[in-house]
Amino acid sequence: MFFSKLKTIFLSICAIILAVSMITYPKESFEASIRGLNMWWEIVFPSLLPFFLVSEMLIGFGVVKFIGVLLEPLMRPLFKVPGIGGFVWAMGMASGFPAGAKLTVRMRQEGQLTQIEAERLVSFTNSSNPLFIFGAVAVGFFHNPHLGVLLALAHYLGNICVGLIMRFYGKETPYKDKDKQGRFIVRTALSALHQTRLKDKRPIGKLLGDAVNSSIQTLLMVGGFIILFSVINKLLFHLHITAILAKVFDLLLSALSFPDMLSIPFISGLFEITLGSDLTSQVQDATLLQQAIITSFILGFSGFSVQAQVASILAQTDIRFKPFFFARIAQGLFASLFALLLWKPIYIRFYQNEQPSNAIPVSFFEEGTLLHSYFYKLMEWGPLITILSLSIYVILLYNRLQKNH
């Protein structure tokens, strides 16, 4: 009871300090809010919405169940999660934060995951998407598309390591292998697809409407957290709290022979990955390797902004947030380690000075190429896509409220 009261007092004081700070620094708060809003409606909303909509339809049509049966022999031995975890993992990597959490919660609500399996799954299915790593971080911040290969490899290898470690989390889940048919697994998967579609009695129009409603509600929540943490990050800097926290990390960085100038970008990255990665790329005193290691940790840890988004989504079920938080620390450490280990065999060997003929291609992400153009087209057309999607959402919501009345 004492700790509960202490927590209440602490949260109240934090809320008061935040409110007073926003009044004291209105201009800075407004600019940070605009920055967060621009990031959300230019990039986050238009890039995540299609994945959310498609995933909802795939779940409703039974395709996810089909994939789950096929991937059961792979996902169960490796990560001790059902085969549907493979779909969640793939969608999480392709679309980025917090798609993995949203899909895991959906699977848990449908009873396709136990609580322990869901906590294992959500710990390694939330990651940065390749477009963000290559387009925003490598090209946008570092102006070096080759660095994207190193950051992506470190990030996703760290992700796999977290999944392998989390297989030992929790008590063993009783599992009866119903699909010992071996060669008949495709037939079993097709049967599961058909049965799942029959159970979902919603017509296609209703399914699409529910998909739009659910996806946009989640994205509105994500936008709120992005704006909130953008403001918090800015206020912490102006209140000199970031500088105080940086002093603590100066000792750790000095022990690793890293320049002290990296401490403030590191602290900023703990709250918000985009700002942290951008500030890290601007530190002139650090070598590119040191910048890559810090950026890899920031991408792996995901920042408190993303973690708050995931916590809000997980709160809809009995999935606990604590395993996810510790998994983020683990992925940050793994990603940093892989960035160090892969520096010479990947970046130095293939991209330093003259590239050998067997270099890993990154031409899709260089300036003037397709994906590079796509990233900037997304920023250009993103606001229009967001406004149109929100308009459709308002119309659907109005029609639903009219029917209920």
Side-chain angles (χ1 to χ4, degrees), residues 145-156:
H146 300 148
L147 186 64
V149 174
L150 178 72
L151 294 176
L153 283 174
H155 188 68
Y156 295 124

Side-chain angles (χ1 to χ4, degrees), residues 151-282:
L151 294 176
L153 283 174
H155 188 68
Y156 295 124
L157 286 174
N159 206 283
I160 294 171
C161 288
V162 169
L164 293 174
I165 287 177
M166 289 301 291
R167 74 187 302 275
F168 300 105
Y169 165 76
K171 295 182 179 179
E172 185 66 32
T173 305
Y175 170 66
K176 295 180 181 179
D177 191 358
K178 298 178 183 178
D179 302 321
K180 291 186 177 179
Q181 296 94 331
R183 58 181 177 174
F184 300 116
I185 191 171
V186 176
R187 182 185 299 175
T188 307
L190 288 171
S191 176
L193 182 149
H194 182 62
Q195 293 300 322
T196 304
R197 189 188 68 81
L198 292 179
K199 286 179 183 177
D200 194 332
K201 302 182 185 301
R202 292 175 296 173
I204 294 179
K206 178 72 164 57
L207 192 149
L208 287 173
D210 290 345
V212 171
N213 186 55
S214 172
S215 300
I216 292 184
Q217 281 185 354
T218 301
L219 287 169
L220 287 171
M221 177 272 297
V222 168
F225 277 112
I226 290 174
I227 294 170
L228 174 63
F229 275 86
S230 180
V231 173
I232 289 175
N233 213 348
K234 192 73 171 179
L235 291 176
L236 288 176
F237 177 79
H238 285 283
L239 292 172
H240 305 292
I241 294 175
T242 303
I244 294 171
L245 293 173
K247 293 293 183 183
V248 178
F249 285 93
D250 281 348
L251 299 174
L252 176 62
L253 293 174
S254 298
L256 297 172
S257 300
F258 280 45
D260 296 343
M261 296 293 290
L262 283 170
S263 57
I264 289 181
F266 181 77
I267 296 296
S268 298
L270 294 182
F271 285 89
E272 208 276 305
I273 55 175
T274 308
L275 180 61
S277 301
D278 189 14
L279 291 176
T280 302
S281 68
Q282 297 174 21

Side-chain angles (χ1 to χ4, degrees), residues 195-378:
Q195 293 300 322
T196 304
R197 189 188 68 81
L198 292 179
K199 286 179 183 177
D200 194 332
K201 302 182 185 301
R202 292 175 296 173
I204 294 179
K206 178 72 164 57
L207 192 149
L208 287 173
D210 290 345
V212 171
N213 186 55
S214 172
S215 300
I216 292 184
Q217 281 185 354
T218 301
L219 287 169
L220 287 171
M221 177 272 297
V222 168
F225 277 112
I226 290 174
I227 294 170
L228 174 63
F229 275 86
S230 180
V231 173
I232 289 175
N233 213 348
K234 192 73 171 179
L235 291 176
L236 288 176
F237 177 79
H238 285 283
L239 292 172
H240 305 292
I241 294 175
T242 303
I244 294 171
L245 293 173
K247 293 293 183 183
V248 178
F249 285 93
D250 281 348
L251 299 174
L252 176 62
L253 293 174
S254 298
L256 297 172
S257 300
F258 280 45
D260 296 343
M261 296 293 290
L262 283 170
S263 57
I264 289 181
F266 181 77
I267 296 296
S268 298
L270 294 182
F271 285 89
E272 208 276 305
I273 55 175
T274 308
L275 180 61
S277 301
D278 189 14
L279 291 176
T280 302
S281 68
Q282 297 174 21
V283 178
Q284 301 294 328
D285 294 342
T287 65
L288 187 59
L289 172 59
Q290 292 170 338
Q291 291 174 323
I293 291 173
I294 294 295
T295 304
S296 291
F297 184 90
I298 289 171
L299 292 173
F301 185 72
S302 310
F304 295 129
S305 175
V306 169
Q307 292 181 25
Q309 297 167 29
V310 172
S312 178
I313 294 172
L314 298 184
Q316 302 170 28
T317 63
D318 58 354
I319 304 173
R320 290 165 292 196
F321 174 73
K322 189 180 293 185
F324 174 82
F325 176 73
F326 286 111
R328 298 280 57 75
I329 298 174
Q331 185 173 349
L333 295 173
F334 277 125
S336 297
L337 179 61
F338 278 118
L340 176 63
L341 295 177
L342 296 175
W343 177 253
K344 287 185 177 180
I346 297 295
Y347 188 83
I348 297 295
R349 180 183 176 188
F350 291 144
Y351 304 119
Q352 195 75 356
N353 301 322
E354 295 184 3
Q355 296 183 24
S357 59
N358 60 341
I360 301 172
V362 291
S363 56
F364 286 129
F365 300 94
E366 292 178 342
E367 292 190 26
T369 54
L370 182 62
L371 287 179
H372 184 270
S373 300
Y374 171 75
F375 179 74
Y376 287 99
K377 283 290 183 184
L378 184 65

